[in-house]
């Protein structure tokens, strides 16, 4: 447990240092993953840690806030890849043989570059705040001395505690998936419920991965959780994509009528793919 916590703290500390001067997609992604894994450990393994519930809650909320600062950066990177591929796949007769595709591609890239620039400016501005500094000091302390309770558990005790923690995480994930499945695809709550289910399966996966060395069952559970997480993640990516396309078609001051047609076409494709994913769930 100590080595796992130290590993995630290392990722976060390294990410914060490098993000002072650059914001490439891989660095943003790795830093967010480190923050998510550390948050997941705080919640899933709280009984094995020394800080009390109030202290853990504060740190978890601070880590959530830190990850949210990078959210728009990550979304812009994912959208750039998805929309470039979607534009390239449009039939030539629908995009006037290519020039229209090039115009819209340029417009999308400009819009996403603006999102990245503004998001990175927010991250840099927050680095000087008390909350940012407090959070990074806490991560540094956890790196120096991971707050794992008491003496190392015996293998038997660790397996028993691990089974209990894994059962809790699995029940939560299944419950949230059932909540998402109960509503119709057109229900306004559907995207948020699916997103909550995705986060629960991500936490289940991270918990299982930590326990793989002592619980053989955790290996298969981590594999299945990762598969479900990816399916729900694909759906969430489509929700974000659809929202961005609506924004492009209705808000961008430079959008022209024929550009709006292309955005509408891509939006229809994204919504159709999202519906198919829900049908296969």
């Amino acid at each position: 447990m100590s080595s796992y916590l130290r590993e995630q703290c290392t990722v976060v500390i390294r990410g914060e240092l490098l993000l002072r001067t650059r914001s490439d997609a891989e660095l943003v992604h790795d830093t967010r993953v480190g923050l998510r894994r550390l948050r997941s450990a705080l919640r899933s393994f709280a009984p094995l840690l020394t800080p009390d519930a109030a202290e853990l809650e504060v740190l978890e909320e601070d880590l959530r806030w830190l990850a949210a600062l990078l959210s728009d950066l990550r979304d812009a990177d994912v959208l750039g890849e998805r929309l470039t591929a979607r534009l390239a796949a449009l039939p030539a007769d629908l995009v006037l043989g290519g020039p229209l595709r090039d115009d819209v591609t340029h417009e999308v890239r400009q819009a996403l570059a603006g999102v990245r620039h503004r998001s990175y400016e927010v991250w840099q501005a927050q680095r000087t705040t008390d909350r940012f500094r407090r959070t990074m000091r806490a991560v540094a302390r956890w790196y120096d001395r991971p707050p794992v309770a008491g003496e190392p558990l015996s293998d038997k005790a660790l397996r028993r505690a691990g089974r209990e923690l894994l059962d809790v995480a699995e029940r939560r994930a299944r419950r949230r998936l059932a909540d998402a499945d109960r509503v119709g695809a057109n229900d306004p709550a559907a995207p948020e419920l699916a997103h909550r289910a995705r986060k629960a399966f991500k936490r289940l996966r991270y918990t299982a991965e930590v326990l793989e060395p002592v619980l053989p069952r955790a290996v298969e559970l981590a594999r299945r959780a990762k598969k479900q997480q990816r399916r729900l993640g694909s759906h969430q990516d489509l929700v974000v994509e659809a929202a961005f396309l609506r924004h492009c078609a209705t808000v961008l001051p430079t959008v022209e009528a024929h550009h709006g047609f292309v955005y509408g076409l891509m939006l229809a494709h994204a919504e159709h793919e999202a519906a198919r994913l829900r049908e296969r769930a």
Side-chain angles (χ1 to χ4, degrees), residues 32-229:
R32 277 174 53 81
V33 170
L35 287 164
R36 284 200 305 265
R37 287 181 181 274
L38 192 53
R39 280 185 55 222
S40 176
L42 262 62
R43 300 184 68 184
S44 297
F45 297 100
L48 305 181
L49 304 176
T50 56
D52 61 27
E55 184 179 346
L56 288 176
E57 183 177 358
V58 169
L59 181 54
E60 190 206 344
E61 285 302 313
D62 285 344
L63 293 172
R64 185 200 304 273
W65 169 76
L66 207 61
L69 292 177
L70 297 174
S71 180
D72 285 347
L73 273 168
R74 178 59 182 165
D75 284 349
D77 293 331
V78 173
L79 278 170
E81 294 178 4
R82 294 181 65 89
L83 293 177
T84 297
R86 196 177 293 285
L87 280 161
L90 290 176
D93 59 331
L94 294 179
V95 289
L96 306 181
L100 180 54
R101 189 200 326 267
D102 294 341
D103 288 348
V104 174
T105 299
H106 176 73
E107 200 164 61
V108 165
R109 287 174 177 168
Q110 288 291 100
L112 292 175
V115 171
R116 286 194 106 264
H117 178 72
R118 290 188 296 274
S119 299
Y120 188 54
E121 283 190 328
V122 170
W123 171 268
Q124 293 287 47
Q126 290 298 321
R127 285 186 53 248
T128 62
T129 64
D130 291 341
R131 187 176 191 182
F132 194 103
R133 290 168 174 164
R134 179 185 74 202
T135 305
M136 291 309 303
R137 284 196 299 268
V139 173
R141 286 197 303 271
W142 280 48
Y143 171 82
D144 289 336
R145 185 174 295 179
V148 178
E151 296 297 323
L153 295 175
S154 66
D155 287 349
K156 182 178 180 180
L158 186 57
R159 283 194 294 271
R160 182 173 61 252
R163 281 194 295 269
E164 293 174 358
L165 295 172
L166 207 54
D167 287 345
V168 169
E170 185 177 15
R171 285 196 300 271
R172 179 184 296 106
R174 292 187 181 281
R175 185 170 61 249
R176 290 194 176 179
L177 183 61
D179 290 342
D181 288 342
R182 269 195 292 270
V183 302
N186 296 323
D187 191 306
E192 177 59 25
L193 289 172
H195 186 46
R196 283 169 57 85
R198 175 200 183 191
K199 291 190 290 186
F201 274 99
K202 192 177 295 183
R203 180 175 166 188
L204 171 59
R205 171 194 166 190
Y206 293 159
T207 303
E209 287 174 347
V210 175
L211 295 169
E212 284 180 358
V214 295
L215 286 179
R217 167 178 170 252
V219 177
E220 175 60 19
L221 193 55
R223 186 193 67 80
R224 288 192 281 112
K226 183 177 181 179
K227 182 179 179 181
Q228 187 68 266
Q229 171 201 327

